[in-house]
Amino acid sequence: MSTTVPVAVLDVLRGEQFADRATTWERAGAVPREDVECLAGHGLLGMTVGTAHHGSDLPLVDVTEAHRLVAAASPSLHSLLVVHAMVCHALRRWAVRETRDAFLPELATGRVLAAFALTETTGGADAGALTTRIDREGDTLRVTGVKRWLSFGQIADAYLVFGLTDGLDSCALVDAGSAVRVEPEPRTAGLRAARLARVTFDGATAPAARVVGRPGTGIPFVATSCLTLGRLCVAAGAAGIAQAALDLAVGHAATRSTGDRVLGDHQLVRGLLADAALATESATHYVRSAAQEVENRTPTAAVTAARAKLLASRAASSVTATASRLLGAEGQTENHPLARLAAAARVHEVIEGPTEVLQDVVATALLRDQGATGKGKQR
Ligand SMILES: Cc1cc2nc3c(=O)[nH]c(=O)nc-3n(C[C@H](O)[C@H](O)[C@H](O)COP(=O)(O)OP(=O)(O)OC[C@H]3O[C@@H](n4cnc5c(N)ncnc54)[C@H](O)[C@@H]3O)c2cc1C
């Protein structure tokens, strides 16, 4: 990891007072577009975009470190970084040159915001259960269907939509416009400011060059590689949430006196702090090594990203729960940063593959490995 990236990101977060603004965003239930543009102005939306397209093309170890720091300040703002990185990744790897050249510079600089449109009412954890149609009519694509819970979908200028073309799963980039109806989803307790949207594509059209990957590759290649990156970035965010909660817990335990002792003098409290620190550090280290593996595109990268997300999101849940207990009544107040972190940790166990689905991914790989070496039963 370069030492300059975390310092630069911390400077941005402090200089722009993002952690302070995060409380206002959560209360209002929205990160305003001008704050997103401010983030983009510091180059944080272009970290995974190539330099030819005005991005900074950072190594994933640096990208995930930046994600960890942003999530510690604002998990809602971080969720924008995640979906934006996934869309940029899909275009960079799978779109035709014309679409790459037209969109990547706009995305890298934040002039265009994009949402990742996979989830449907009947297909959440099961990404393959698509009903949205992406029909090809000559040089035009026509998209019909409803997508749910799209992060920053309320202010997106374009949507990376997954659907079916002649029965094959496919993917296309569609502009916001008249045949795209955007409605706010009910606000979630965690990532309350992430501007979730239900988006109806009512025969929305796009040029045929906006198809991303060939029909038949939409889920197994495009979505899968986006989800690998997304899981890694969510894992980094979860490690950031765990670190922020740990810092609050340690600060409180060191200063809160009851009777003649500070909380940190109690042996049981010290045990809780030690466990929370180890969970946080394990997640942070694992995410770092997983980032290297995803960067190197090793055959096990997708499973490693799933493991990282599983480990880090559980660390975030357990550390925020510990911190919540240690902060007593103060930690239960709704505008306390800890309440925001704890609610965000719960969401991190659901998005980009719920905990149980990732356990299945990890266990399937374990059992397959056993079968390959002839030491166990095959599935
Ligand atoms: C804050 C937030 C932001 C989001 N942003 C986006 C976005 O930008 N783009 C997008 O496309 N979607 C987004 N989503 C949707 C998210 O990806 C889905 O909520 C998630 O995939 C789970 O789908 P579901 O809610 O339909 O739950 P379901 O699919 O109904 O699953 C509910 C629960 O059932 C269990 N379960 C499900 N399947 C299995 C299984 N195979 N084995 C064992 N247990 C299982 C799990 O515990 C799971 O949490 C977002 C959601 C939230 C809350």
Side-chain angles (χ1 to χ4, degrees):
M1 180 179 40
S2 94
T3 49
T4 51
V5 171
V7 173
V9 173
L10 281 173
D11 282 349
V12 171
L13 296 174
R14 285 201 195 105
E16 302 294 348
Q17 299 179 323
F18 276 129
D20 298 337
R21 288 203 227 170
T23 307
T24 314
W25 298 335
E26 295 299 305
R27 261 192 224 136
V31 179
R33 176 109 194 192
E34 53 269 27
D35 285 325
V36 171
E37 281 164 9
C38 172
L39 187 81
H42 290 289
L44 287 174
L45 290 184
M47 292 186 289
T48 56
V49 175
T51 49
H53 290 119
H54 307 314
S56 48
D57 206 11
L58 292 181
L60 279 181
V61 171
D62 287 342
V63 172
T64 48
E65 181 59 10
H67 277 245
R68 191 178 75 85
L69 297 170
V70 172
S74 168
S76 289
L77 188 63
H78 173 245
S79 68
L80 172 69
L81 290 191
V82 176
V83 290
H84 222 253
M86 290 163 80
V87 175
C88 290
H89 169 80
L91 297 190
R92 192 175 178 183
R93 189 139 176 224
W94 306 99
V96 298
R97 167 172 285 229
E98 179 186 336
T99 302
R100 286 201 307 268
D101 289 348
F103 276 90
L104 284 173
E106 303 297 300
L107 291 165
T109 50
R111 283 192 293 268
V112 167
L113 292 184
F116 185 81
L118 179 61
T119 303
E120 301 186 0
T121 301
T122 51
D126 181 2
L130 297 169
T131 60
T132 295
R133 284 197 347 255
I134 303 176
D135 297 321
R136 178 135 189 191
E137 297 168 0
D139 288 339
T140 303
L141 303 172
R142 187 175 295 280
V143 180
T144 311
V146 181
K147 294 292 182 179
R148 302 291 314 274
W149 307 108
L150 307 189
S151 298
F152 287 84
Q154 290 178 30
I155 55 169
D157 305 295
Y159 300 88
L160 188 74
V161 184
F162 292 84
L164 295 171
T165 302
D166 297 328
L168 297 172
D169 48 88
S170 60
C171 177
L173 187 71
V174 179
D175 292 331
S178 55
V180 179
R181 195 168 70 251
V182 178
E183 299 159 281
E185 291 280 14
R187 277 190 198 132
T188 46
L191 308 190
R192 209 175 117 78
R195 311 199 68 165
L196 300 178
R198 170 194 177 107
V199 180
T200 303
F201 298 90
D202 197 5
T205 55
R210 297 282 197 84
V211 73
V212 178
R214 285 196 316 277
T217 64
I219 295 296
F221 291 95
V222 185
T224 300
S225 70
C226 288
L227 285 173
T228 295
L229 179 65
R231 284 170 184 169
L232 182 67
C233 293
V234 168
I241 289 170
Q243 185 65 57
L246 176 66
D247 292 345
L248 287 170
V250 173
H252 187 76
T255 53
R256 163 83 173 144
S257 307
T258 49
D260 58 352
R261 301 170 86 183
V262 289
L263 279 184
D265 284 343
H266 295 286
Q267 197 172 4
L268 287 175
V269 170
R270 297 161 85 88
L272 287 175
L273 292 177
D275 287 350
L278 289 188
T280 303
E281 283 160 27
S282 310
T284 305
H285 285 297
Y286 196 87
V287 168
R288 207 167 285 154
S289 76
Q292 196 60 63
E293 211 176 313
V294 174
E295 179 88 55
N296 295 342
R297 295 196 197 171
T298 66
T300 51
V303 178
T304 301
R307 282 171 175 249
K309 199 261 175 178
L310 192 53
L311 180 71
S313 60
R314 287 173 138 192
S317 287
S318 74
V319 176
T320 53
T322 295
S324 178
R325 285 206 302 286
L326 288 180
L327 264 75
E330 189 188 323
Q332 313 310 314
T333 52
E334 63 179 355
N335 289 325
H336 196 284
L338 188 58
R340 185 157 45 87
L341 294 168
R346 288 197 296 277
V347 171
H348 278 62
E349 287 217 54
V350 171
I351 54 174
E352 307 300 346
T355 288
E356 293 75 15
V357 170
L358 298 184
Q359 285 176 316
D360 191 50
V361 170
V362 172
T364 300
L366 287 172
L367 294 167
R368 197 188 298 123
D369 289 350
Q370 280 291 95
T373 53
K375 288 181 190 155
K377 292 180 191 166
Q378 289 191 322
R379 276 189 98 185

